[in-house]
Amino acid sequence: MSETETRPSYEELLAQRNQLIEELTFDELTGLYRTEKWGRKVILERVKQALQGSQNLVLALFDIRGLGVINNSYDHETGDQVLKTFADKLKEIVGENGLGMRSHARGDEFGVLFLGLKTEEIEKRLREFQNKRLNWETQEASGNISFTLGIVGLKEIKESEKMTEGELFQALWKCASEKEREEHRKANG
């Protein structure tokens, strides 16, 4: 370090650290938890808390339909607006007992981990959400958001009590993803 350079203060280092933690925990575009890095750590901690408290876990996966067409017909900024709009609506329905997340493996896939609620209750609430008209709008275009949905409860995962938090989360994600893909196949004939 040269004589003219100064070292950052403790407060500056702390602010940089906190900024980095936030970037690793939350999706920059939507503000939802990331399914990787520190966001995943938070998700797995919630899974662990639910299991320790003998609470039910329900994972719901949402796949936005037609995002590629929007990106190709307009631009990626319009597609980003669709993602933000969907994430904002998702945050409204998540409530206190849920944790919203965005998949980074597939950018148009979102998840919600619900804790302590009955699977049937969640399914009813999310099917109502799915049937509502969700609109997106930019200066150049507007449209409706539709999505396919896969929902899985803890009881559907065989031998879940033998799994680590990470294994259980992966098993929930895989099962919910299979259900979402089946819904997608049915919707597309």
Side-chain angles (χ1 to χ4, degrees), residues 40-57 59 99 101 113-115 154 163-170 172:
R40 185 175 179 80
K41 289 177 78 171
V42 172
I43 294 164
L44 296 181
E45 184 60 34
R46 295 290 292 272
V47 169
K48 182 178 178 180
Q49 289 170 356
L51 294 175
Q52 288 174 342
S54 299
Q55 294 179 311
N56 188 38
L57 286 170
L59 180 67
L99 188 140
M101 60 194 93
L113 184 66
F114 290 96
L115 304 125
L154 181 61
M163 295 179 182
T164 66
E165 295 84 28
E167 292 168 338
L168 179 56
F169 180 69
Q170 283 302 114
L172 286 165

Side-chain angles (χ1 to χ4, degrees), residues 25-26 31 72 107 130 149 158 169 185:
T25 304
F26 298 101
N72 292 334
Q130 189 177 30
L149 176 61
K158 294 184 185 330
F169 180 69
R185 279 191 291 278

Side-chain angles (χ1 to χ4, degrees), residues 102-179:
R102 179 173 176 214
S103 168
H104 283 80
R106 292 184 51 209
D108 61 350
E109 189 172 62
F110 293 82
V112 177
L113 184 66
F114 290 96
L115 304 125
L117 299 173
K118 294 180 180 178
T119 305
E120 301 78 24
E121 183 181 324
I122 296 301
E123 178 135 20
K124 182 178 185 264
R125 185 188 327 173
L126 295 180
R127 293 295 175 193
E128 289 172 0
F129 174 60
Q130 189 177 30
N131 292 324
K132 285 184 180 176
R133 188 178 189 108
L134 298 174
N135 299 314
W136 61 270
E137 187 175 339
T138 66
Q139 290 182 333
E140 295 81 28
S142 64
N144 298 316
I145 300 172
S146 65
F147 57 89
T148 49
L149 176 61
I151 303 169
V152 63
L154 181 61
K155 293 177 186 174
E156 296 176 65
I157 306 299
K158 294 184 185 330
E159 300 186 7
S160 61
E161 67 281 349
K162 296 179 183 178
M163 295 179 182
T164 66
E165 295 84 28
E167 292 168 338
L168 179 56
F169 180 69
Q170 283 302 114
L172 286 165
W173 193 279
K174 181 180 178 191
C175 188
S177 185
E178 288 168 359
K179 288 182 173 195

